[in-house]
Amino acid sequence: MNTKKIVIAVVIVLIVAVVAFMYISANTAETAIEFKNNNTIKNGDNLSFLLKDNYRHVIPNQVVDVKVLDDSGWAHKYNATTDDQGMAYIQLMGLENGNYTAHASFNGTMFLTSSKTIKEFSIDDGLS
């Protein structure tokens, strides 16, 4: 009799797990990060990007990790939280004129997939 109860409990747990997996899979949206800057910016300007899903809905209140690498490979790390319009901003200060690469990543949530993107840009303050 105890074995029958254990088998029934295991079957119920498996059914709940399968239903939960199917629900999460059916309701998960893919995400994308889109940089909104020109290819040349100045010190003090914001590096701006938009987090949205595959239905073009903006995704507010989510953290995006950004690494800005210079030509020598030195990385400057930032975190930014998206606002109500899905936009996040990082103010770039104290960087020398030159070429940089920004790597942005969103780790995802239970219903949003992770995403990554890369943008090459340069900083030119107009000074030689």
Side-chain angles (χ1 to χ4, degrees), residues 78-116:
Y78 306 92
N79 291 336
T81 302
T82 57
D83 62 15
D84 290 339
Q85 280 74 45
M87 293 292 297
Y89 307 94
I90 296 172
Q91 188 175 24
L92 298 178
M93 298 287 291
L95 299 177
E96 297 194 20
N97 288 348
N99 296 319
Y100 293 85
T101 305
H103 297 257
S105 62
F106 171 63
N107 290 328
T109 64
M110 185 180 294
F111 294 106
L112 298 169
T113 62
S114 61
S115 59
K116 297 179 182 183

Side-chain angles (χ1 to χ4, degrees), residues 29-32 51-59 111-112:
E30 292 187 28
T31 63
L51 181 62
K52 59 186 177 179
D53 65 15
N54 56 333
Y55 302 109
R56 298 187 160 253
H57 299 124
V58 297
I59 304 172
F111 294 106
L112 298 169

Side-chain angles (χ1 to χ4, degrees), residues 20-53:
F21 176 77
M22 290 173 48
Y23 178 78
I24 292 170
S25 296
N27 291 297
T28 299
E30 292 187 28
T31 63
I33 302 170
E34 180 181 318
F35 280 94
K36 301 304 251 179
N37 294 83
N38 294 327
N39 290 333
T40 302
I41 61 176
K42 296 181 179 181
N43 267 307
D45 286 350
N46 288 328
L47 193 58
S48 308
F49 44 93
L50 174 68
L51 181 62
K52 59 186 177 179
D53 65 15

